[in-house]
Amino acid sequence: LFLAAEGMYTGQFVYCGKKAALQIGNVLPVGVMPEGTIICNLEEKVGDRGRLARASGNYATVIAHNPDTKKSRVKLPSGSKKVIPSSNRAMVGIISGGGRIDKPRLK
């Protein structure tokens, strides 16, 4: 299941894996992304296919990598920081539908 990231378009090629380019919509392991990368649909455990930062307009940020322990630190939408394995995959970009709560829902 692929989620739509802001800036994706119909007919776009989406690449997954270690060698994929750092472009919006591509899925890469967190360990190969540079610090400061905006990501979404992040795996909490290896291979769970994305559990974190999936609501509309949400994103997480890669903060740091520790190559010795093969772990990465990410900042979640709630503001909390979490240490996850560097092999966990994530999609590059922000989940689309960001301005959803700006419009009032009339009765």
Side-chain angles (χ1 to χ4, degrees), residues 5-28:
E6 231 164 78
M8 288 177 79
Y9 54 89
T10 308
Q12 176 181 348
F13 287 99
V14 176
Y15 298 101
C16 304
K18 269 184 203 155
K19 295 178 181 149
L22 194 74
Q23 289 181 324
I24 288 176
N26 287 355
V27 179
L28 296 91

Side-chain angles (χ1 to χ4, degrees), residues 48-84:
D48 70 5
R49 298 188 182 162
R51 290 279 182 268
L52 307 170
R54 289 175 55 119
S56 62
N58 268 359
Y59 62 91
T61 312
V62 180
I63 298 171
H65 301 296
N66 189 341
D68 304 330
T69 58
K70 292 186 177 159
K71 298 224 182 266
S72 294
R73 198 170 171 85
V74 292
K75 185 172 182 242
L76 299 176
S78 63
S80 64
K81 294 174 176 72
K82 191 173 177 98
V83 177
I84 58 164

